[in-house]
Amino acid sequence: MSITGAEWLARSLAASGQTHVFFVDAVLRPTLLALSRLGVKPVLAHTEKAAVYMADAYARVSGRPGVVAAQSVGAANLAAGLQDAFLARAPVIAMTGRKVAAHQHRNAYQEVAHAPLFQAVTKFAAEVAAADELPQRLRQAWAAAVSVPARPVHLDLAGLQAEVIEQGQVAAPPLELGALAAPRFRPHPDPAAIADAAAALSRARRVAIIAGDGTALSDCGAELLAVAERLAAPILTTLGARGVVPTTHALHAGVVGSYSSPPANRVVAGAELLLLVGCDSGDQVTHGWRVPPAGTPVVQIDADPLEFDRSYPAQVAVLADPRAALAALAAALPDAPRDRAFLEDAQGQITEFGAEIAPRLASDAVPIDPARLCAELSRSLPEDAILVADTGYSGIWTGTLIEITTQTYLRAAGSLGWAFPAALGAKCAAPDRPIVCYCGDGAFHYHLPELETAKRLGLAVVVVVNNNRGFGQGWPNVRRVAGNDSDAAAEILRFGESADFAAIARGFGLHGVTVERPADIAPALRAALARNETTVLDVRTDIESRAPEASIPGG
């Protein structure tokens, strides 16, 4: 018995376990109405990029693909939003309507070629010209999205609003996709590779571990700690893997690379052998490929074979799911006492940095030092909270000074303004968990209209705006280029005094609080976390307060 494409698609998405889909009108209207009847909430956003960011965070929290849709004229905007999900290896299924084939290449209204727009930000893309193609195309796209490396996929559906697909008939039963979650496969390692890795690691006296975003996807914190204990090795992480082990653990040495506190890069530079686990070895985690220094031997574990030898030659390459590989490695390492001098030196450097930064964590300065804001957030975050951080300075502040113990940490992979819509998507995926968004004022300006979305859907997130009236990360550099002329630099990088984010939140019918004194941060956070609605905390901070800066060992 045939059903319409709209009904088939809605039933398949509902059967997969999706609770929300994200979109900008006008697209898939019959499908969205059918989804609503089936208990799946359609989330209307105000921009395609915001809709993608919601789907991205929904995917990262739930493990299921986030589903996002836009009509033909919004396809370019939707594609632009997929960059962050692609870089962060998040499974997102993007659907767009497109003009039918007979209308292509004839200057159809607002029509451009979609395939080139999505080529750089998807791992799979296909056109769907008729409804009966849906079963094969959707299954293939879904399977691709959740397989390592998990990344966005794109289905281009015939019809400006995909109406050709929705009105057509599908004879196949709805798909059962619920079991296809990321990571779909957890391959076990070659025993010979594990033996080689164990031998190399056992011989080295100074081993450091760098855990990348792949460890967060694999959820292998316990296995990572077991290996680190055997090796007496400090664990450093990428920003995306922050929290894979508690940041307060004695083996944790911080975020490494460009967004790190000073000790982290020095620890890596002092290692004689590095164990890279699910780590892409890009320029941010290596601080421009300077940390570790060229020539440092590497043992590398990754589920993606394309990550081996990308930046550093792998002395031993272990192709496997990180959790499976680490479990096997822990069993293969000799249970013998290790020289702990390297680990103790790393711990000493971390303790020294903690003493240096402590006065700022307790600062009573006005405007507020963001270090104090981070300290208050560390004390206030509930155990089951999800902290969603924006890019740039928000990544550095949260990645160096906010402790993540039992909480989940999500960060932008590079798109300014990502965090607030992402926080709403995270709330859709985890409605019972507290969601805290940390962003700068420059980032929050991007997607202010989504305050209306939060109000309309009754989504409760706490938005902490580090408001220094400008783009703080680049401020000293621009001022230096301007010959220390602050007025000239301000014209390039500072905002006006008119934005009152607390008042803006109230204008959308939500709660907003302006925080100007350090002593008011903690009570404002407690009150915001207790409210059952989105609350914006407009925290007035000092643009001259600098975040911890990464060290460059050797100069």
Side-chain angles (χ1 to χ4, degrees), residues 268-339:
V268 171
E272 65 179 273
L273 178 65
L274 284 173
L275 174 59
L276 303 185
V277 186
C279 181
D280 66 12
S281 69
D283 62 337
Q284 188 180 66
V285 67
T286 62
H287 204 20
W289 298 287
R290 294 172 292 190
V291 181
T296 304
V298 165
V299 172
Q300 189 170 1
I301 295 171
D302 211 290
D304 182 358
L306 295 182
E307 291 304 329
F308 297 113
D309 302 294
R310 186 184 286 269
S311 297
Y312 296 90
Q315 177 178 318
V316 180
V318 181
L319 178 62
D321 171 69
R323 185 197 294 174
L326 289 169
L329 182 59
L333 287 168
D335 188 11
R338 291 274 297 186
D339 184 344

Side-chain angles (χ1 to χ4, degrees), residues 72 242 257 325 407 418 446 489 492 551:
S72 178
R242 186 162 177 80
Q407 300 86 1
W418 174 88
Y446 267 71
I492 301 297
S551 63

